[in-house]
Amino acid sequence: MGEFALVDGEPRSADATAVQPTTGFVLDRARFTALAGAHPALGLSVARYFCRRLRETTEQLEGIALYQLEARLARFLLFSLRQLNGPDLPPTAVLRLEISQGELAAVLGASRPKVNRALQALEAAGAILRQDGAWTLDPVALSAAAEPEA
């Protein structure tokens, strides 16, 4: 967390809240700069990390611009699952989004009622099951909804 600030010295761009007891390590910018100076390969590794993040962000923005809302929602859910589980997704996964439908709508570039309809469509397709604040997701069905032309 705070990796952009570590490199560019600007204020952090996001906050995080732990939902369970957590241990973390702090690396301040001065120590990072000294470490990177002593180990040049670290700079290349950081550059690779940022390139991967930029590619992921570009893919998300393309998804918002190029896909219908249901597909954008499915892509967002798959992205969230990959952030939590890595690239190999389980057959079913439970996701708890700590954002409202209105906030989800803002992320997807749509209105809350349209997001609600897209959620209902994904439920009807068996891609999601919303129950008690948790969503049980079927990654295969979400993948089919995320790429409707495939």
Side-chain angles (χ1 to χ4, degrees):
M1 294 182 293
E3 64 275 18
F4 292 153
L6 194 63
V7 173
D8 68 10
E10 295 292 321
R12 290 184 49 225
S13 60
D15 293 320
T17 302
V19 296
Q20 61 188 27
T22 303
T23 300
F25 297 95
V26 175
L27 177 62
D28 64 37
R29 187 161 192 265
R31 288 185 179 137
F32 172 76
T33 302
L35 188 61
H39 302 280
L42 178 62
L44 185 57
S45 293
V46 169
R48 284 186 183 127
Y49 168 79
F50 283 129
C51 286
R52 186 176 67 248
R53 293 279 309 271
L54 182 57
R55 287 179 192 277
E56 290 170 354
T57 301
T58 299
E59 185 176 314
Q60 282 185 300
L61 291 173
E62 287 175 349
I64 289 172
L66 301 176
Y67 291 90
Q68 296 296 321
L69 181 56
E70 189 177 319
R72 294 195 319 256
L73 177 57
R75 293 168 69 83
F76 173 81
L77 294 172
L78 286 166
F79 176 81
S80 299
L81 284 178
R82 287 186 185 106
Q83 291 288 64
L84 294 170
N85 298 290
D88 298 322
L89 298 178
T92 60
V94 176
L95 181 66
R96 287 188 182 276
L97 288 179
E98 301 295 329
I99 61 175
S100 68
Q101 272 192 20
E103 291 165 329
L104 181 57
V107 167
L108 296 173
S111 69
R112 192 201 57 74
K114 287 183 180 180
V115 167
N116 191 40
R117 284 193 294 274
L119 284 167
Q120 290 171 357
L122 288 176
E123 279 183 307
I128 65 173
L129 172 65
R130 295 183 284 175
Q131 189 174 355
D132 299 326
W135 298 3
T136 302
L137 307 176
D138 178 338
V140 173
L142 281 174
S143 295
E147 301 292 341
E149 66 277 353

